[in-house]
């Protein structure tokens, strides 16, 4: 097996595989990603493949692969896992990365929490992108259910490097069949690149409860970029402050939309176990654990 080392991790239950592709010219193939996800022991939401830098001034290029083999532009929980993975190698605790979404910054703190600067949100309809023009993306025409009594409707939409729709609800987010609505909304024609679909309940201006159907991955315990998009959408619709705790099924994240327009995400990452995988086929083995 032409193997590379990987680390199985999670960010608040968001299942992450960090694959060390440094020093190699190949990539984790879509077929390999699908095969890895098909195995119960390595089922994941995203693979974070660490490559050599492409741009001067960055530490690494990070390619993000969804469980269906498609590429993702950004993944906040996955980036925290990458920061922790790299921080254990030496004294360096802060890093500059390049992704499809652009340049991102990450830092591990003394308490073990990790902050990732996810960059600036994109709010114009053509940047998200949407398939048709909306002058105001704080509330677009989109609904699921009967036209006179929709189950979900009028989401706020934004891009955090990947497209997000935030549906605001007043009652318990767990009362909605997101496993049924999620796939339909993810693939709605209004989203030419598909979208991440979230249901958000604002408890107080500094607390949001959130569930997300993740584009290319499905229901997830946590989605960092969805938490960022929910905070941005909450602040610009005056539902929330510019800093809030976002409670996801897997736990809490702190999100702040700073005055410089950057959105920063803080939360934990957890190491699980290590192994070796073949980036072409997806064959993998688990490392022997010391007694």
């Amino acid at each position: 097996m032409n193997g590379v080392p990987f680390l199985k991790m999670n960010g608040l239950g968001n299942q992450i595989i960090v694959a060390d592709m440094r020093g190699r010219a190949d990539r984790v193939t879509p077929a390999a990603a699908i095969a890895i996800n098909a195995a119960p022991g390595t089922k994941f939401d995203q693979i974070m493949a660490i490559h050599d830098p492409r741009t001067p001034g960055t530490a690494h290029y990070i390619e993000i692969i969804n469980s269906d083999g498609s590429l993702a532009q950004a993944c906040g929980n996955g980036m925290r896992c990458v920061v922790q993975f790299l921080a254990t190698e030496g004294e360096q605790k802060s890093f500059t990365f390049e992704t499809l979404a652009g340049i991102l910054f990450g830092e591990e703190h003394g308490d073990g929490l990790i902050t990732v600067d996810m960059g600036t949100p994109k709010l114009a309809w053509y940047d998200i992108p949407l398939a048709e023009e909306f002058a105001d993306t704080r509330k677009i025409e989109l609904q699921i259910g009967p036209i006179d009594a929709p189950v979900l409707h009028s989401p706020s939409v934004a891009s955090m490097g990947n497209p997000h729709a935030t549906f605001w609800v007043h009652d318990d987010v767990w009362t909605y069949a997101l496993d049924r609505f999620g796939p339909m909304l993810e693939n709605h024609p209004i989203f030419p690149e598909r979208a991440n679909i979230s249901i958000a309940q604002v408890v107080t201006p500094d607390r949001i409860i959130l569930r997300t159907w993740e584009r290319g991955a499905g229901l997830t315990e946590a989605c960092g970029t969805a938490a960022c998009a929910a905070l941005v959408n909450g602040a610009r619709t005056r539902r929330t402050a510019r800093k809030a705790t976002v409670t996801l099924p897997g736990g809490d994240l702190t999100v702040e939309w700073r005055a410089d327009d950057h959105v920063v995400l803080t939360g934990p990452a957890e190491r699980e176990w290590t192994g070796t995988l073949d980036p072409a086929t997806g064959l993998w083995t688990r490392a022997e654990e010391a007694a």
Side-chain angles (χ1 to χ4, degrees), residues 110-161:
D111 60 3
L113 293 180
I114 298 152
T115 295
V116 178
D117 182 339
M118 299 299 295
T120 60
K122 294 181 175 61
L123 307 176
W125 70 272
Y126 47 81
D127 285 329
I128 292 170
L130 302 176
E132 60 185 79
E133 180 176 353
F134 284 89
D136 187 352
T137 58
R138 291 175 296 181
K139 181 179 180 180
I140 70 166
E141 296 175 14
L142 177 63
Q143 67 179 43
I144 197 87
I147 192 167
D148 56 343
V151 178
L152 296 170
H153 65 92
S154 308
S156 305
V157 291
S159 172
M160 287 303 311

Side-chain angles (χ1 to χ4, degrees), residues 5-289:
F6 75 89
L7 179 59
K8 180 70 169 58
M9 304 186 70
N10 78 80
L12 289 182
N14 194 198
Q15 297 301 313
I16 302 295
I17 290 175
V18 179
D20 189 354
M21 298 291 290
R22 289 174 290 184
R24 301 174 63 107
D26 56 341
R27 303 171 53 240
V28 177
T29 66
I34 292 169
I36 293 166
N37 187 60
T42 49
K43 191 171 181 61
F44 68 89
D45 293 300
Q46 277 80 35
I47 293 175
M48 312 295 291
I50 305 175
H51 290 266
D52 293 329
R54 299 181 181 180
T55 301
T58 61
H60 304 287
Y61 182 85
I62 310 298
E63 186 166 74
I64 307 169
I65 306 104
N66 291 318
S67 56
D68 67 356
S70 63
L71 294 180
Q73 293 101 326
C75 176
N77 290 316
M79 291 307 300
R80 294 202 315 279
C81 291
V82 169
V83 171
Q84 188 185 87
F85 176 91
L86 294 171
T88 60
E89 294 185 335
E91 296 300 316
Q92 186 175 353
K93 302 300 179 184
S94 60
F95 305 89
T96 303
F97 303 106
E98 183 182 7
T99 70
L100 279 178
I103 305 298
L104 302 177
F105 307 92
E107 180 180 10
E108 184 180 61
H109 304 292
D111 60 3
L113 293 180
I114 298 152
T115 295
V116 178
D117 182 339
M118 299 299 295
T120 60
K122 294 181 175 61
L123 307 176
W125 70 272
Y126 47 81
D127 285 329
I128 292 170
L130 302 176
E132 60 185 79
E133 180 176 353
F134 284 89
D136 187 352
T137 58
R138 291 175 296 181
K139 181 179 180 180
I140 70 166
E141 296 175 14
L142 177 63
Q143 67 179 43
I144 197 87
I147 192 167
D148 56 343
V151 178
L152 296 170
H153 65 92
S154 308
S156 305
V157 291
S159 172
M160 287 303 311
N162 49 4
H164 286 270
T166 308
F167 287 87
W168 304 104
V169 299
H170 294 292
D171 44 1
D172 189 345
V173 298
W174 290 97
T175 63
Y176 295 85
L178 188 55
D179 57 338
R180 184 157 57 92
F181 301 139
M184 292 185 284
L185 291 165
E186 173 194 355
N187 294 284
H188 192 283
I190 195 66
F191 303 117
E193 297 180 5
R194 300 186 294 163
N196 300 277
I197 306 300
S198 294
I199 300 173
Q201 177 191 19
V202 177
V203 181
T204 61
D206 62 355
R207 183 170 177 235
I208 304 168
I209 299 176
L210 192 73
R211 290 181 67 208
T212 299
W213 176 273
E214 198 165 11
R215 180 184 66 167
L219 284 176
T220 182
E221 288 292 294
C223 178
T225 54
C228 293
L231 185 280
V232 168
N233 285 330
R236 68 195 187 106
T237 57
R238 299 186 178 180
R239 289 178 166 90
T240 71
R242 292 178 70 97
K243 182 177 182 180
T245 298
V246 182
T247 299
L248 307 118
D252 291 347
L253 294 171
T254 301
V255 185
E256 181 179 7
W257 188 12
R258 297 188 318 214
D260 64 0
D261 202 30
H262 282 239
V263 181
V264 292
L265 172 71
T266 301
E270 182 181 3
R271 303 165 70 91
E272 296 182 5
W273 51 271
T274 62
T276 303
L277 64 82
D278 185 328
T281 66
L283 293 173
W284 61 273
T285 58
R286 184 166 177 163
E288 294 286 341
E289 296 183 3

